[in-house]
Amino acid sequence: MKAHQLKAFCLEFNDAVEEFPFGPETSVFKVAGKMFALSALDGKPLTVNLKCDPDIAERLRADHPEIVPGWHMNKRHWNTVTVEALPDQLVRELIEDSYDLVVAGLPKDVRLRLDRP
């Protein structure tokens, strides 16, 4: 997966937006004001920070050396994923899981508006 594909996929989700609160080099993808992905899209290698269930995060890190505790993030809940070193389908699933975890923490009326009960 290339940077433009990562960005396009993140923006496919309901209410997803790209913001730059940390400067123009870091894309932060949010839903309802809450971050679900963070990436320096011009970084080499291309990485993305994604929210993850803590138990699953540990298993992913054990199975994939390209997935490590989130850089500059809560290491229990966030992973840094080296995008180009993993199959596109896995990266898509990790992004969707991150989005779903963030949405699950939103108020019920917002979740229903996003069509994610």
Side-chain angles (χ1 to χ4, degrees), residues 95-116:
I95 294 169
E96 184 171 6
D97 288 348
S98 181
Y99 175 88
D100 287 344
L101 276 172
V102 171
V103 169
L106 297 172
K108 184 177 182 179
D109 63 321
V110 177
R111 290 194 316 268
L112 292 175
R113 180 177 57 79
L114 296 171
D115 196 27
R116 299 264 196 194

Side-chain angles (χ1 to χ4, degrees), residues 55-69 79:
D55 294 328
I56 296 171
E58 288 182 25
R59 194 170 64 245
L60 286 167
R61 294 170 193 166
D63 292 346
H64 303 280
E66 307 85 2
I67 300 175
V68 297
N79 283 331

Side-chain angles (χ1 to χ4, degrees), residues 3 13 15-16 18 20 24-25 48 67 69 73 84 91 102 106 110 115:
F13 295 100
D15 203 36
E18 179 183 25
F20 300 91
E25 66 282 345
V48 61
I67 300 175
M73 307 293 280
E84 295 163 334
V91 174
V102 171
L106 297 172
V110 177
D115 196 27

